[in-house]
Amino acid sequence: MVKGLYTAHTGMVNEMKRLDVLANNLANADTTGYKKEGTTSRTFADEMSFRLKDSSNAYMPKKLGGITYGVHLGQVYTDYSTGSFKVTDNTTDFAIDGNGFFAIAFTDKQGNTSVKYTRDGSFTVNTEGYLVTKDGDYVLNATGAMNGDPSRNNFIQVDPNATVTVNKMGYVIQNDQVVGTLGVVDVDNYDYLEKYGENMYNLLDGGNRIATDAKVEQGVLETSNVNVVNEMVNMITIQRAYEANQKVITSIDSTLDRAVNNVGRVQSVSYTHLRAHETELHLVC
């Protein structure tokens, strides 16, 4: 195999995967609490090439140098930096100022309930007075968030007809009384967070919930941390890198075409032309 073709091919595949991640970032630029993703690239393991049939040193062929077979996607990582805050003045909209996540009792289509973590504080109060997400999943209080317990006794219930006030410590206050506490926790190692959907996360085995000193802001939402301008610039860079690899393949293909069809081609000469050429040489002599 021509190594140049393989190297260019792996480069094109890598740029396609990078473009997929970038396109997902752009698609979620307006998603509340979304954290953008990025990619790293790495080469395949280097191989040493050796001189064939090298008899200068017995049983010790000389090394000619290292070669690589191209590049591939290293990993997809999440940028957890805080997005900008947008004031909504909605009493059930919240943002976390600092490190941490809201804990949600998420129920999937099969009816299984588990704890998910999110920076999206766009909540509402349902007809029963429970604080829920826009999809109807219950928001957990401080006890449920820290213990990872999505049971009903850890839901936050308020009077839907009374004003809800939440201070920076996360205390939910109605009629000058604390009726609950928003569950905000952090994770000791973000490598144990697995993205679920657009802006929620699972805590994998090995990850631990820890307390956080983050503040809760009421009437505010955290927007996505995607910078659209930067993503568009990166898209242009990816497109140019992809086109460069295309040109490499086109150039190698042209070289192989000449090698196959021109180099070493035997020109057939007819017997008549050969006899004429011999007669001409004889007359000259």
Side-chain angles (χ1 to χ4, degrees):
M1 176 183 289
V2 179
K3 295 183 179 66
L5 285 175
Y6 190 79
T7 301
H9 163 73
T10 57
M12 293 173 69
V13 172
N14 181 67
E15 299 304 328
M16 289 173 60
K17 293 179 179 178
R18 289 181 59 200
L19 186 61
D20 289 341
V21 173
L22 188 148
N24 185 59
N25 288 338
L26 288 175
N28 288 283
D30 293 328
T31 301
T32 304
Y34 176 80
K35 300 303 178 186
K36 69 178 181 180
E37 296 180 329
T39 58
T40 61
S41 301
R42 60 191 179 94
T43 60
F44 289 97
D46 291 338
E47 300 287 342
M48 297 299 296
S49 58
F50 296 89
R51 181 176 299 168
L52 297 177
K53 299 181 180 180
D54 183 13
S55 58
S56 58
N57 293 309
Y59 306 107
M60 295 180 62
K62 293 182 179 179
K63 298 179 180 179
L64 299 181
I67 58 175
T68 180
Y69 291 102
V71 65
H72 64 111
L73 200 66
Q75 66 174 349
V76 178
Y77 64 89
T78 302
D79 179 2
Y80 291 99
S81 61
T82 304
S84 59
F85 287 174
K86 178 178 67 175
V87 177
T88 65
D89 291 328
N90 188 342
T91 57
T92 56
D93 283 345
F94 306 99
I96 300 175
D97 185 8
N99 296 326
F101 302 87
F102 296 110
I104 307 297
F106 176 81
T107 303
D108 59 21
K109 295 180 179 179
Q110 288 73 36
N112 301 315
T113 301
S114 60
V115 178
K116 307 293 183 189
Y117 302 90
T118 182
R119 297 277 295 189
D120 183 4
S122 180
F123 303 142
T124 186
V125 177
N126 65 12
T127 56
E128 297 177 344
Y130 288 105
L131 192 64
V132 297
T133 67
K134 289 185 176 180
D135 294 327
D137 296 309
Y138 295 93
V139 180
L140 295 179
N141 59 21
T143 302
M146 184 57 70
N147 297 333
D149 181 9
S151 60
R152 193 176 189 84
N153 60 326
N154 289 320
F155 298 167
I156 300 174
Q157 189 174 23
V158 298
D159 182 357
N161 299 317
T163 302
V164 177
T165 302
V166 178
N167 63 17
K168 292 185 180 296
M169 300 299 294
Y171 296 136
V172 182
I173 303 171
Q174 281 189 313
N175 301 321
D176 298 327
Q177 292 184 346
V178 177
V179 297
T181 307
L182 279 178
V184 179
V185 294
D186 200 9
V187 178
D188 59 349
N189 188 342
Y190 284 7
D191 288 339
Y192 288 96
L193 286 177
E194 177 187 51
K195 180 167 284 190
Y196 184 90
E198 297 173 348
N199 54 11
M200 292 192 295
Y201 301 90
N202 284 319
L203 181 61
L204 303 177
D205 293 339
N208 299 306
R209 291 173 291 272
I210 59 175
T212 175
D213 58 358
K215 308 300 181 184
V216 176
E217 300 290 340
Q218 186 177 21
V220 178
L221 289 177
E222 180 185 354
T223 62
S224 166
N225 64 352
V226 175
N227 187 312
V228 176
V229 175
N230 289 343
E231 296 301 301
M232 294 300 293
V233 172
N234 291 335
M235 181 179 291
I236 294 174
T237 303
I238 291 173
Q239 181 181 3
R240 289 177 176 174
Y242 188 88
E243 291 174 349
N245 283 297
Q246 279 184 316
K247 291 180 179 179
V248 170
I249 291 179
T250 302
S251 178
I252 295 177
D253 180 68
S254 177
T255 302
L256 291 175
D257 178 69
R258 292 195 177 191
V260 171
N261 297 306
N262 294 330
V263 177
R265 183 175 63 180
V266 178
Q267 297 281 351
S268 60
V269 181
S270 67
Y271 178 77
T272 304
H273 289 168
L274 182 60
R275 292 296 298 171
H277 184 63
E278 290 180 352
T279 303
E280 187 176 316
L281 289 176
H282 179 72
L283 291 175
V284 171
C285 293

